[in-house]
Amino acid sequence: MKKYLTIFAFGCVFLTGLLFTNIPSVFGAGNGPDYQGHETVNTSTLHTYTEMVEFLETQEKKQASMELEVLGKTVKGRDMYMAKYMSNPDNPTILYIAQQHGDEALTTEGSLEFIKQLGSSKTKDLLNNVNLLIIPMYNADGAMGDVDYELEDYAASGDRHLTRLNANEVDLNRDHEAKSQPETKALHNNVLQKYDIQYMMDLHHQGAQWVKDDKYVSGAIFPSHPDHTDPDVLRGSKQLGAVVYDAIETKGWGHLANYAGKGAAYDNGISVYGLAHDYGISTLLFEMRGTADNNNDYEVLGQKSNGYLTKQAVIALNETAMAIADGSLEDKDVSFWDDLPVQEERSY
């Protein structure tokens, strides 16, 4: 059985100081150990698909507010699960998507820890005022390395490799316009077109080589595109980013930048762009440092960083949910985006 990170459940009280007292500041600045063929990377420390399903089923039995829903099936026939908290259809609703890319596994670990916390009695006020839809492992085939192509020269040891693409070798986060894959069709048909969703956060990992102010970033945030998004929807997107930024960067242990990478060019197939444009959902992309497996060493981060990155994901999930629930999101100042530096690539 997995040994879960010990994180206190919290409701409407901000507990970042309690959660992160013992995390070394070097990790707080994003400077965890690089892989480069030397650091340990083992996928056996991560939830398998089966373990995730067992975890969700256990939590559903424990949590009266939680309903487990199957959205559809992956290419390889795995059920796609969503944890649903819908106390009042009139409440604002936020959708969290983790592991669209199968090698970005700590987004799933953080999502599962967040779901576990939602079973605490301290979250009653939160769940009474916001609806939560959480997809903890969107690309289950890629997360299990169960694909129809070779995974050569991948970095991780353990019981499986993890790959960015789905079983058909398609990038699911470029498929939201074409909707060519069963995973994408399930999301759009059975979630986006079914529920009235106002907000979404898409959790990812990026390469380990990105810096801001000559320090490795712990993550990067990115709003919807200003030229392809309704102004009110864009403002909501930027407000989500303000919540994440204030919860992480200003507390001194995280180091966030404005996202830059291959996904920064406009493509309506990318969720942070397409969902804002097509559905009017205020979306935020959150990219944490380093992947769990890859055939490019500079993409991978040693697993000694897993703890603080998982906690960083939990903070982002919790704080955005609380800000929507208590209405403080609407008062968030988005002017910091004007001065937030774009991350830069450091050559290895």
Side-chain angles (χ1 to χ4, degrees):
M1 180 179 293
K2 299 285 182 183
K3 293 183 178 179
Y4 301 108
L5 295 167
T6 302
I7 306 177
F8 293 106
F10 37 84
C12 296
V13 181
F14 185 69
L15 297 180
T16 303
L18 294 176
L19 289 170
F20 300 107
T21 301
N22 296 321
I23 298 177
S25 60
V26 64
F27 287 162
N31 291 326
D34 303 328
Y35 169 64
Q36 292 301 285
H38 306 296
E39 185 63 35
T40 301
V41 181
N42 193 322
T43 58
S44 64
T45 65
L46 306 168
H47 280 84
T48 64
Y49 171 78
T50 300
E51 289 168 341
M52 179 204 68
V53 174
E54 291 173 350
F55 174 88
L56 292 174
E57 290 175 342
T58 298
Q59 292 302 312
E60 184 184 31
K61 292 176 182 177
K62 291 181 177 180
Q63 299 188 34
S65 300
M66 176 183 167
E67 179 183 351
L68 197 56
E69 184 170 313
V70 175
L71 312 178
K73 292 185 180 295
T74 66
V75 172
K76 294 292 187 176
R78 291 181 172 87
D79 287 335
M80 297 175 64
Y81 285 92
M82 180 172 73
K84 183 170 69 172
Y85 299 83
M86 297 285 291
S87 60
N88 184 346
D90 294 329
N91 284 340
T93 299
I94 182 167
L95 169 65
Y96 295 112
I97 301 179
Q99 216 169 353
Q100 282 206 67
H101 295 139
D103 58 350
E104 300 172 4
L106 299 185
T107 64
T108 293
E109 300 301 312
S111 298
L112 296 180
E113 181 60 39
F114 180 53
I115 289 170
K116 183 180 178 181
Q117 290 184 10
L118 291 171
S120 167
S121 60
K122 295 181 181 180
T123 63
K124 180 179 179 181
D125 290 339
L126 171 68
L127 294 176
N128 282 341
N129 293 290
V130 64
N131 298 323
L132 307 177
L133 304 174
I134 308 168
I135 303 174
M137 189 182 283
Y138 184 77
N139 182 4
D141 294 346
M144 292 305 299
D146 184 11
V147 297
D148 295 328
Y149 48 92
E150 293 297 324
L151 302 179
E152 298 177 354
D153 301 322
Y154 271 55
S157 59
D159 50 9
R160 69 194 189 280
H161 282 302
L162 289 74
T163 182
R164 174 183 177 89
L165 309 178
N166 79 340
N168 287 335
E169 205 167 2
V170 173
D171 188 331
L172 294 176
N173 198 33
R174 300 297 185 275
D175 192 47
H176 290 287
E177 185 168 41
K179 304 177 187 64
S180 67
Q181 300 302 299
E183 295 93 340
T184 322
K185 292 175 182 175
L187 175 67
H188 285 259
N189 293 339
N190 300 324
V191 180
L192 297 171
Q193 296 173 18
K194 179 178 178 180
Y195 297 100
D196 183 18
I197 300 169
Q198 289 77 44
Y199 302 98
M200 191 199 84
M201 185 160 65
D202 191 13
L203 290 94
H204 287 261
H205 288 262
Q206 59 180 357
Q209 76 273 30
W210 297 99
V211 300
K212 183 186 81 171
D213 301 330
D214 205 35
K215 295 180 181 178
Y216 287 118
V217 299
S218 62
I221 53 178
F222 199 59
S224 306
H225 198 284
D227 297 334
H228 300 267
T229 308
D230 176 88
D232 290 337
V233 174
L234 177 60
R235 179 170 179 80
S237 172
K238 290 186 173 183
Q239 287 172 324
L240 285 175
V243 171
V244 173
Y245 183 84
D246 288 346
I248 294 173
E249 174 83 16
T250 64
K251 304 305 175 182
W253 73 271
H255 192 53
L256 300 183
N258 203 331
Y259 174 72
K262 294 179 181 178
Y266 184 80
D267 179 344
N268 205 57
I270 299 175
S271 62
V272 70
Y273 293 144
L275 274 59
H277 177 268
D278 295 345
Y279 296 94
I281 298 173
S282 294
T283 61
L284 179 74
L285 175 68
F286 184 25
E287 298 258 357
M288 299 196 300
R289 185 180 183 221
T291 65
D293 198 3
N294 207 281
N295 58 349
N296 295 319
D297 286 356
Y298 64 83
E299 296 281 350
V300 182
L301 191 62
Q303 68 187 43
K304 290 180 181 179
S305 298
N306 284 10
Y308 90 86
L309 288 172
T310 300
K311 291 178 181 180
Q312 180 177 252
V314 175
I315 285 291
L317 292 162
N318 182 75
E319 292 301 316
T320 49
M322 289 205 311
I324 296 168
D326 64 19
S328 61
L329 180 81
E330 299 176 5
D331 299 323
K332 295 299 292 187
D333 182 6
V334 299
S335 62
F336 84 100
W337 282 102
D338 298 332
D339 300 316
L340 182 62
V342 175
Q343 62 188 7
E344 298 176 346
E345 191 167 8
R346 173 178 286 172
S347 300
Y348 279 0

PDB file of all heavy atoms in Angstrom, residues 106-139:
ATOM      1  N   LEU A 106       3.069  13.549 -11.101  1.00  0.00           N
ATOM      2  CA  LEU A 106       2.837  14.139  -9.790  1.00  0.00           C
ATOM      3  C   LEU A 106       1.572  14.981  -9.764  1.00  0.00           C
ATOM      4  O   LEU A 106       1.063  15.299  -8.692  1.00  0.00           O
ATOM      5  CB  LEU A 106       4.050  14.972  -9.356  1.00  0.00           C
ATOM      6  CG  LEU A 106       5.355  14.180  -9.230  1.00  0.00           C
ATOM      7  CD1 LEU A 106       6.462  15.067  -8.689  1.00  0.00           C
ATOM      8  CD2 LEU A 106       5.176  12.939  -8.358  1.00  0.00           C
ATOM      9  N   THR A 107       1.058  15.322 -10.928  1.00  0.00           N
ATOM     10  CA  THR A 107      -0.262  15.964 -10.969  1.00  0.00           C
ATOM     11  C   THR A 107      -1.331  14.992 -10.476  1.00  0.00           C
ATOM     12  O   THR A 107      -2.282  15.393  -9.788  1.00  0.00           O
ATOM     13  CB  THR A 107      -0.589  16.432 -12.395  1.00  0.00           C
ATOM     14  OG1 THR A 107      -0.679  15.296 -13.277  1.00  0.00           O
ATOM     15  CG2 THR A 107       0.470  17.383 -12.916  1.00  0.00           C
ATOM     16  N   THR A 108      -1.181  13.714 -10.803  1.00  0.00           N
ATOM     17  CA  THR A 108      -2.096  12.692 -10.292  1.00  0.00           C
ATOM     18  C   THR A 108      -1.902  12.484  -8.800  1.00  0.00           C
ATOM     19  O   THR A 108      -2.881  12.393  -8.044  1.00  0.00           O
ATOM     20  CB  THR A 108      -1.878  11.366 -11.042  1.00  0.00           C
ATOM     21  OG1 THR A 108      -2.288  11.528 -12.394  1.00  0.00           O
ATOM     22  CG2 THR A 108      -2.669  10.233 -10.407  1.00  0.00           C
ATOM     23  N   GLU A 109      -0.652  12.407  -8.367  1.00  0.00           N
ATOM     24  CA  GLU A 109      -0.394  12.216  -6.931  1.00  0.00           C
ATOM     25  C   GLU A 109      -0.998  13.363  -6.110  1.00  0.00           C
ATOM     26  O   GLU A 109      -1.618  13.136  -5.068  1.00  0.00           O
ATOM     27  CB  GLU A 109       1.115  12.129  -6.681  1.00  0.00           C
ATOM     28  CG  GLU A 109       1.821  10.991  -7.402  1.00  0.00           C
ATOM     29  CD  GLU A 109       1.270   9.620  -7.043  1.00  0.00           C
ATOM     30  OE1 GLU A 109       1.105   9.330  -5.841  1.00  0.00           O
ATOM     31  OE2 GLU A 109       0.990   8.843  -7.976  1.00  0.00           O
ATOM     32  N   GLY A 110      -0.849  14.600  -6.590  1.00  0.00           N
ATOM     33  CA  GLY A 110      -1.431  15.736  -5.889  1.00  0.00           C
ATOM     34  C   GLY A 110      -2.948  15.699  -5.899  1.00  0.00           C
ATOM     35  O   GLY A 110      -3.607  16.039  -4.905  1.00  0.00           O
ATOM     36  N   SER A 111      -3.533  15.292  -7.020  1.00  0.00           N
ATOM     37  CA  SER A 111      -4.989  15.219  -7.129  1.00  0.00           C
ATOM     38  C   SER A 111      -5.565  14.197  -6.161  1.00  0.00           C
ATOM     39  O   SER A 111      -6.598  14.441  -5.525  1.00  0.00           O
ATOM     40  CB  SER A 111      -5.394  14.853  -8.567  1.00  0.00           C
ATOM     41  OG  SER A 111      -4.969  15.841  -9.475  1.00  0.00           O
ATOM     42  N   LEU A 112      -4.905  13.065  -6.029  1.00  0.00           N
ATOM     43  CA  LEU A 112      -5.393  12.034  -5.110  1.00  0.00           C
ATOM     44  C   LEU A 112      -5.282  12.490  -3.666  1.00  0.00           C
ATOM     45  O   LEU A 112      -6.176  12.222  -2.848  1.00  0.00           O
ATOM     46  CB  LEU A 112      -4.628  10.735  -5.334  1.00  0.00           C
ATOM     47  CG  LEU A 112      -4.815  10.075  -6.703  1.00  0.00           C
ATOM     48  CD1 LEU A 112      -3.998   8.784  -6.785  1.00  0.00           C
ATOM     49  CD2 LEU A 112      -6.273   9.799  -7.011  1.00  0.00           C
ATOM     50  N   GLU A 113      -4.200  13.172  -3.336  1.00  0.00           N
ATOM     51  CA  GLU A 113      -4.066  13.695  -1.976  1.00  0.00           C
ATOM     52  C   GLU A 113      -5.141  14.746  -1.691  1.00  0.00           C
ATOM     53  O   GLU A 113      -5.720  14.791  -0.596  1.00  0.00           O
ATOM     54  CB  GLU A 113      -2.672  14.282  -1.772  1.00  0.00           C
ATOM     55  CG  GLU A 113      -2.424  14.822  -0.370  1.00  0.00           C
ATOM     56  CD  GLU A 113      -2.560  13.762   0.706  1.00  0.00           C
ATOM     57  OE1 GLU A 113      -2.133  12.615   0.490  1.00  0.00           O
ATOM     58  OE2 GLU A 113      -3.101  14.098   1.775  1.00  0.00           O
ATOM     59  N   PHE A 114      -5.440  15.575  -2.660  1.00  0.00           N
ATOM     60  CA  PHE A 114      -6.497  16.587  -2.514  1.00  0.00           C
ATOM     61  C   PHE A 114      -7.852  15.905  -2.302  1.00  0.00           C
ATOM     62  O   PHE A 114      -8.637  16.312  -1.432  1.00  0.00           O
ATOM     63  CB  PHE A 114      -6.525  17.470  -3.749  1.00  0.00           C
ATOM     64  CG  PHE A 114      -7.571  18.548  -3.733  1.00  0.00           C
ATOM     65  CD1 PHE A 114      -7.675  19.443  -2.679  1.00  0.00           C
ATOM     66  CD2 PHE A 114      -8.455  18.683  -4.795  1.00  0.00           C
ATOM     67  CE1 PHE A 114      -8.636  20.443  -2.670  1.00  0.00           C
ATOM     68  CE2 PHE A 114      -9.421  19.671  -4.806  1.00  0.00           C
ATOM     69  CZ  PHE A 114      -9.511  20.548  -3.740  1.00  0.00           C
ATOM     70  N   ILE A 115      -8.138  14.874  -3.072  1.00  0.00           N
ATOM     71  CA  ILE A 115      -9.389  14.126  -2.904  1.00  0.00           C
ATOM     72  C   ILE A 115      -9.467  13.538  -1.499  1.00  0.00           C
ATOM     73  O   ILE A 115     -10.516  13.585  -0.841  1.00  0.00           O
ATOM     74  CB  ILE A 115      -9.499  13.029  -3.974  1.00  0.00           C
ATOM     75  CG1 ILE A 115      -9.767  13.660  -5.347  1.00  0.00           C
ATOM     76  CG2 ILE A 115     -10.604  12.031  -3.630  1.00  0.00           C
ATOM     77  CD1 ILE A 115      -9.650  12.693  -6.507  1.00  0.00           C
ATOM     78  N   LYS A 116      -8.367  13.005  -1.022  1.00  0.00           N
ATOM     79  CA  LYS A 116      -8.344  12.447   0.333  1.00  0.00           C
ATOM     80  C   LYS A 116      -8.676  13.525   1.364  1.00  0.00           C
ATOM     81  O   LYS A 116      -9.444  13.293   2.303  1.00  0.00           O
ATOM     82  CB  LYS A 116      -6.966  11.836   0.610  1.00  0.00           C
ATOM     83  CG  LYS A 116      -6.844  11.166   1.972  1.00  0.00           C
ATOM     84  CD  LYS A 116      -5.452  10.597   2.136  1.00  0.00           C
ATOM     85  CE  LYS A 116      -5.276   9.956   3.513  1.00  0.00           C
ATOM     86  NZ  LYS A 116      -3.896   9.414   3.686  1.00  0.00           N
ATOM     87  N   GLN A 117      -8.124  14.701   1.195  1.00  0.00           N
ATOM     88  CA  GLN A 117      -8.374  15.801   2.131  1.00  0.00           C
ATOM     89  C   GLN A 117      -9.833  16.232   2.115  1.00  0.00           C
ATOM     90  O   GLN A 117     -10.368  16.666   3.138  1.00  0.00           O
ATOM     91  CB  GLN A 117      -7.478  16.990   1.779  1.00  0.00           C
ATOM     92  CG  GLN A 117      -6.016  16.776   2.049  1.00  0.00           C
ATOM     93  CD  GLN A 117      -5.197  18.023   1.768  1.00  0.00           C
ATOM     94  OE1 GLN A 117      -5.735  19.094   1.552  1.00  0.00           O
ATOM     95  NE2 GLN A 117      -3.893  17.881   1.764  1.00  0.00           N
ATOM     96  N   LEU A 118     -10.469  16.115   0.959  1.00  0.00           N
ATOM     97  CA  LEU A 118     -11.864  16.536   0.856  1.00  0.00           C
ATOM     98  C   LEU A 118     -12.792  15.663   1.699  1.00  0.00           C
ATOM     99  O   LEU A 118     -13.947  16.015   1.918  1.00  0.00           O
ATOM    100  CB  LEU A 118     -12.311  16.526  -0.607  1.00  0.00           C
ATOM    101  CG  LEU A 118     -11.677  17.594  -1.490  1.00  0.00           C
ATOM    102  CD1 LEU A 118     -12.016  17.357  -2.964  1.00  0.00           C
ATOM    103  CD2 LEU A 118     -12.108  18.992  -1.064  1.00  0.00           C
ATOM    104  N   GLY A 119     -12.300  14.529   2.184  1.00  0.00           N
ATOM    105  CA  GLY A 119     -13.078  13.685   3.075  1.00  0.00           C
ATOM    106  C   GLY A 119     -13.075  14.157   4.509  1.00  0.00           C
ATOM    107  O   GLY A 119     -13.771  13.586   5.352  1.00  0.00           O
ATOM    108  N   SER A 120     -12.319  15.208   4.808  1.00  0.00           N
ATOM    109  CA  SER A 120     -12.272  15.737   6.165  1.00  0.00           C
ATOM    110  C   SER A 120     -13.496  16.590   6.456  1.00  0.00           C
ATOM    111  O   SER A 120     -14.022  17.276   5.583  1.00  0.00           O
ATOM    112  CB  SER A 120     -11.003  16.587   6.344  1.00  0.00           C
ATOM    113  OG  SER A 120     -11.069  17.348   7.526  1.00  0.00           O
ATOM    114  N   SER A 121     -13.935  16.581   7.702  1.00  0.00           N
ATOM    115  CA  SER A 121     -15.077  17.411   8.112  1.00  0.00           C
ATOM    116  C   SER A 121     -14.763  18.894   7.994  1.00  0.00           C
ATOM    117  O   SER A 121     -15.677  19.721   7.914  1.00  0.00           O
ATOM    118  CB  SER A 121     -15.468  17.081   9.554  1.00  0.00           C
ATOM    119  OG  SER A 121     -14.383  17.331  10.442  1.00  0.00           O
ATOM    120  N   LYS A 122     -13.487  19.240   7.958  1.00  0.00           N
ATOM    121  CA  LYS A 122     -13.087  20.643   7.875  1.00  0.00           C
ATOM    122  C   LYS A 122     -13.374  21.250   6.508  1.00  0.00           C
ATOM    123  O   LYS A 122     -13.268  22.465   6.337  1.00  0.00           O
ATOM    124  CB  LYS A 122     -11.599  20.783   8.211  1.00  0.00           C
ATOM    125  CG  LYS A 122     -11.263  20.404   9.642  1.00  0.00           C
ATOM    126  CD  LYS A 122      -9.780  20.574   9.922  1.00  0.00           C
ATOM    127  CE  LYS A 122      -9.448  20.179  11.356  1.00  0.00           C
ATOM    128  NZ  LYS A 122      -7.987  20.336  11.646  1.00  0.00           N
ATOM    129  N   THR A 123     -13.689  20.420   5.519  1.00  0.00           N
ATOM    130  CA  THR A 123     -13.950  20.939   4.174  1.00  0.00           C
ATOM    131  C   THR A 123     -15.438  21.158   3.910  1.00  0.00           C
ATOM    132  O   THR A 123     -15.831  21.431   2.782  1.00  0.00           O
ATOM    133  CB  THR A 123     -13.400  19.971   3.105  1.00  0.00           C
ATOM    134  OG1 THR A 123     -14.098  18.716   3.210  1.00  0.00           O
ATOM    135  CG2 THR A 123     -11.913  19.747   3.291  1.00  0.00           C
ATOM    136  N   LYS A 124     -16.277  21.052   4.940  1.00  0.00           N
ATOM    137  CA  LYS A 124     -17.725  21.177   4.751  1.00  0.00           C
ATOM    138  C   LYS A 124     -18.091  22.510   4.113  1.00  0.00           C
ATOM    139  O   LYS A 124     -18.869  22.566   3.147  1.00  0.00           O
ATOM    140  CB  LYS A 124     -18.445  21.012   6.081  1.00  0.00           C
ATOM    141  CG  LYS A 124     -19.963  21.121   5.971  1.00  0.00           C
ATOM    142  CD  LYS A 124     -20.628  20.932   7.328  1.00  0.00           C
ATOM    143  CE  LYS A 124     -22.141  21.056   7.210  1.00  0.00           C
ATOM    144  NZ  LYS A 124     -22.813  20.888   8.528  1.00  0.00           N
ATOM    145  N   ASP A 125     -17.552  23.615   4.640  1.00  0.00           N
ATOM    146  CA  ASP A 125     -17.875  24.937   4.091  1.00  0.00           C
ATOM    147  C   ASP A 125     -17.421  25.054   2.638  1.00  0.00           C
ATOM    148  O   ASP A 125     -18.096  25.667   1.816  1.00  0.00           O
ATOM    149  CB  ASP A 125     -17.239  26.038   4.938  1.00  0.00           C
ATOM    150  CG  ASP A 125     -17.897  26.175   6.301  1.00  0.00           C
ATOM    151  OD1 ASP A 125     -19.056  25.727   6.446  1.00  0.00           O
ATOM    152  OD2 ASP A 125     -17.248  26.700   7.223  1.00  0.00           O
ATOM    153  N   LEU A 126     -16.280  24.480   2.346  1.00  0.00           N
ATOM    154  CA  LEU A 126     -15.772  24.505   0.976  1.00  0.00           C
ATOM    155  C   LEU A 126     -16.737  23.800   0.033  1.00  0.00           C
ATOM    156  O   LEU A 126     -17.170  24.357  -0.985  1.00  0.00           O
ATOM    157  CB  LEU A 126     -14.395  23.831   0.924  1.00  0.00           C
ATOM    158  CG  LEU A 126     -13.804  23.579  -0.461  1.00  0.00           C
ATOM    159  CD1 LEU A 126     -13.457  24.897  -1.138  1.00  0.00           C
ATOM    160  CD2 LEU A 126     -12.571  22.693  -0.360  1.00  0.00           C
ATOM    161  N   LEU A 127     -17.122  22.588   0.367  1.00  0.00           N
ATOM    162  CA  LEU A 127     -17.954  21.780  -0.524  1.00  0.00           C
ATOM    163  C   LEU A 127     -19.397  22.269  -0.589  1.00  0.00           C
ATOM    164  O   LEU A 127     -20.123  21.915  -1.521  1.00  0.00           O
ATOM    165  CB  LEU A 127     -17.910  20.313  -0.084  1.00  0.00           C
ATOM    166  CG  LEU A 127     -16.542  19.634  -0.225  1.00  0.00           C
ATOM    167  CD1 LEU A 127     -16.580  18.216   0.318  1.00  0.00           C
ATOM    168  CD2 LEU A 127     -16.080  19.641  -1.670  1.00  0.00           C
ATOM    169  N   ASN A 128     -19.809  23.077   0.375  1.00  0.00           N
ATOM    170  CA  ASN A 128     -21.163  23.649   0.327  1.00  0.00           C
ATOM    171  C   ASN A 128     -21.259  24.811  -0.651  1.00  0.00           C
ATOM    172  O   ASN A 128     -22.370  25.228  -1.002  1.00  0.00           O
ATOM    173  CB  ASN A 128     -21.589  24.131   1.716  1.00  0.00           C
ATOM    174  CG  ASN A 128     -22.017  22.984   2.613  1.00  0.00           C
ATOM    175  OD1 ASN A 128     -22.334  21.903   2.141  1.00  0.00           O
ATOM    176  ND2 ASN A 128     -22.010  23.223   3.917  1.00  0.00           N
ATOM    177  N   ASN A 129     -20.093  25.327  -1.091  1.00  0.00           N
ATOM    178  CA  ASN A 129     -20.109  26.569  -1.862  1.00  0.00           C
ATOM    179  C   ASN A 129     -19.427  26.489  -3.215  1.00  0.00           C
ATOM    180  O   ASN A 129     -19.401  27.483  -3.943  1.00  0.00           O
ATOM    181  CB  ASN A 129     -19.473  27.695  -1.032  1.00  0.00           C
ATOM    182  CG  ASN A 129     -20.296  28.053   0.181  1.00  0.00           C
ATOM    183  OD1 ASN A 129     -21.369  28.627   0.058  1.00  0.00           O
ATOM    184  ND2 ASN A 129     -19.817  27.678   1.360  1.00  0.00           N
ATOM    185  N   VAL A 130     -18.907  25.337  -3.546  1.00  0.00           N
ATOM    186  CA  VAL A 130     -18.289  25.176  -4.867  1.00  0.00           C
ATOM    187  C   VAL A 130     -18.449  23.718  -5.290  1.00  0.00           C
ATOM    188  O   VAL A 130     -18.437  22.810  -4.449  1.00  0.00           O
ATOM    189  CB  VAL A 130     -16.789  25.569  -4.847  1.00  0.00           C
ATOM    190  CG1 VAL A 130     -15.976  24.649  -3.951  1.00  0.00           C
ATOM    191  CG2 VAL A 130     -16.208  25.597  -6.257  1.00  0.00           C
ATOM    192  N   ASN A 131     -18.650  23.489  -6.573  1.00  0.00           N
ATOM    193  CA  ASN A 131     -18.691  22.137  -7.128  1.00  0.00           C
ATOM    194  C   ASN A 131     -17.327  21.807  -7.720  1.00  0.00           C
ATOM    195  O   ASN A 131     -16.735  22.629  -8.433  1.00  0.00           O
ATOM    196  CB  ASN A 131     -19.766  22.032  -8.209  1.00  0.00           C
ATOM    197  CG  ASN A 131     -21.154  22.301  -7.686  1.00  0.00           C
ATOM    198  OD1 ASN A 131     -21.493  21.922  -6.557  1.00  0.00           O
ATOM    199  ND2 ASN A 131     -21.973  22.962  -8.492  1.00  0.00           N
ATOM    200  N   LEU A 132     -16.857  20.603  -7.443  1.00  0.00           N
ATOM    201  CA  LEU A 132     -15.542  20.175  -7.902  1.00  0.00           C
ATOM    202  C   LEU A 132     -15.671  18.947  -8.797  1.00  0.00           C
ATOM    203  O   LEU A 132     -16.354  17.979  -8.444  1.00  0.00           O
ATOM    204  CB  LEU A 132     -14.637  19.829  -6.713  1.00  0.00           C
ATOM    205  CG  LEU A 132     -14.472  20.885  -5.625  1.00  0.00           C
ATOM    206  CD1 LEU A 132     -13.601  20.338  -4.502  1.00  0.00           C
ATOM    207  CD2 LEU A 132     -13.874  22.157  -6.191  1.00  0.00           C
ATOM    208  N   LEU A 133     -15.012  19.000  -9.940  1.00  0.00           N
ATOM    209  CA  LEU A 133     -14.891  17.860 -10.836  1.00  0.00           C
ATOM    210  C   LEU A 133     -13.401  17.588 -11.006  1.00  0.00           C
ATOM    211  O   LEU A 133     -12.662  18.461 -11.474  1.00  0.00           O
ATOM    212  CB  LEU A 133     -15.536  18.154 -12.192  1.00  0.00           C
ATOM    213  CG  LEU A 133     -17.013  18.579 -12.178  1.00  0.00           C
ATOM    214  CD1 LEU A 133     -17.458  18.988 -13.593  1.00  0.00           C
ATOM    215  CD2 LEU A 133     -17.894  17.466 -11.644  1.00  0.00           C
ATOM    216  N   ILE A 134     -12.956  16.400 -10.622  1.00  0.00           N
ATOM    217  CA  ILE A 134     -11.523  16.104 -10.591  1.00  0.00           C
ATOM    218  C   ILE A 134     -11.248  14.848 -11.405  1.00  0.00           C
ATOM    219  O   ILE A 134     -11.726  13.757 -11.077  1.00  0.00           O
ATOM    220  CB  ILE A 134     -11.021  15.901  -9.146  1.00  0.00           C
ATOM    221  CG1 ILE A 134     -11.433  17.084  -8.260  1.00  0.00           C
ATOM    222  CG2 ILE A 134      -9.509  15.712  -9.134  1.00  0.00           C
ATOM    223  CD1 ILE A 134     -11.228  16.834  -6.775  1.00  0.00           C
ATOM    224  N   ILE A 135     -10.474  15.001 -12.484  1.00  0.00           N
ATOM    225  CA  ILE A 135     -10.045  13.861 -13.304  1.00  0.00           C
ATOM    226  C   ILE A 135      -8.572  13.622 -12.979  1.00  0.00           C
ATOM    227  O   ILE A 135      -7.698  14.339 -13.476  1.00  0.00           O
ATOM    228  CB  ILE A 135     -10.237  14.138 -14.801  1.00  0.00           C
ATOM    229  CG1 ILE A 135     -11.698  14.486 -15.105  1.00  0.00           C
ATOM    230  CG2 ILE A 135      -9.787  12.933 -15.630  1.00  0.00           C
ATOM    231  CD1 ILE A 135     -11.957  14.907 -16.542  1.00  0.00           C
ATOM    232  N   PRO A 136      -8.257  12.630 -12.151  1.00  0.00           N
ATOM    233  CA  PRO A 136      -6.879  12.494 -11.662  1.00  0.00           C
ATOM    234  C   PRO A 136      -5.904  11.810 -12.614  1.00  0.00           C
ATOM    235  O   PRO A 136      -4.697  11.955 -12.450  1.00  0.00           O
ATOM    236  CB  PRO A 136      -7.047  11.679 -10.381  1.00  0.00           C
ATOM    237  CG  PRO A 136      -8.294  10.904 -10.589  1.00  0.00           C
ATOM    238  CD  PRO A 136      -9.192  11.752 -11.444  1.00  0.00           C
ATOM    239  N   MET A 137      -6.407  11.046 -13.596  1.00  0.00           N
ATOM    240  CA  MET A 137      -5.496  10.369 -14.528  1.00  0.00           C
ATOM    241  C   MET A 137      -6.171  10.306 -15.894  1.00  0.00           C
ATOM    242  O   MET A 137      -6.749   9.306 -16.287  1.00  0.00           O
ATOM    243  CB  MET A 137      -5.129   8.965 -14.040  1.00  0.00           C
ATOM    244  CG  MET A 137      -4.027   8.291 -14.850  1.00  0.00           C
ATOM    245  SD  MET A 137      -3.626   6.596 -14.291  1.00  0.00           S
ATOM    246  CE  MET A 137      -2.662   6.924 -12.823  1.00  0.00           C
ATOM    247  N   TYR A 138      -6.081  11.404 -16.616  1.00  0.00           N
ATOM    248  CA  TYR A 138      -6.775  11.530 -17.891  1.00  0.00           C
ATOM    249  C   TYR A 138      -6.213  10.577 -18.948  1.00  0.00           C
ATOM    250  O   TYR A 138      -6.946   9.956 -19.699  1.00  0.00           O
ATOM    251  CB  TYR A 138      -6.648  12.982 -18.353  1.00  0.00           C
ATOM    252  CG  TYR A 138      -7.378  13.337 -19.619  1.00  0.00           C
ATOM    253  CD1 TYR A 138      -8.753  13.533 -19.622  1.00  0.00           C
ATOM    254  CD2 TYR A 138      -6.682  13.505 -20.816  1.00  0.00           C
ATOM    255  CE1 TYR A 138      -9.423  13.882 -20.782  1.00  0.00           C
ATOM    256  CE2 TYR A 138      -7.343  13.859 -21.974  1.00  0.00           C
ATOM    257  CZ  TYR A 138      -8.715  14.047 -21.956  1.00  0.00           C
ATOM    258  OH  TYR A 138      -9.368  14.387 -23.111  1.00  0.00           O
ATOM    259  N   ASN A 139      -4.892  10.462 -18.997  1.00  0.00           N
ATOM    260  CA  ASN A 139      -4.212   9.617 -19.998  1.00  0.00           C
ATOM    261  C   ASN A 139      -3.692   8.361 -19.311  1.00  0.00           C
ATOM    262  O   ASN A 139      -2.495   8.200 -19.087  1.00  0.00           O
ATOM    263  CB  ASN A 139      -3.078  10.404 -20.658  1.00  0.00           C
ATOM    264  CG  ASN A 139      -2.350   9.618 -21.729  1.00  0.00           C
ATOM    265  OD1 ASN A 139      -2.704   8.492 -22.060  1.00  0.00           O
ATOM    266  ND2 ASN A 139      -1.305  10.212 -22.281  1.00  0.00           N
TER     267      ASN A 139
END
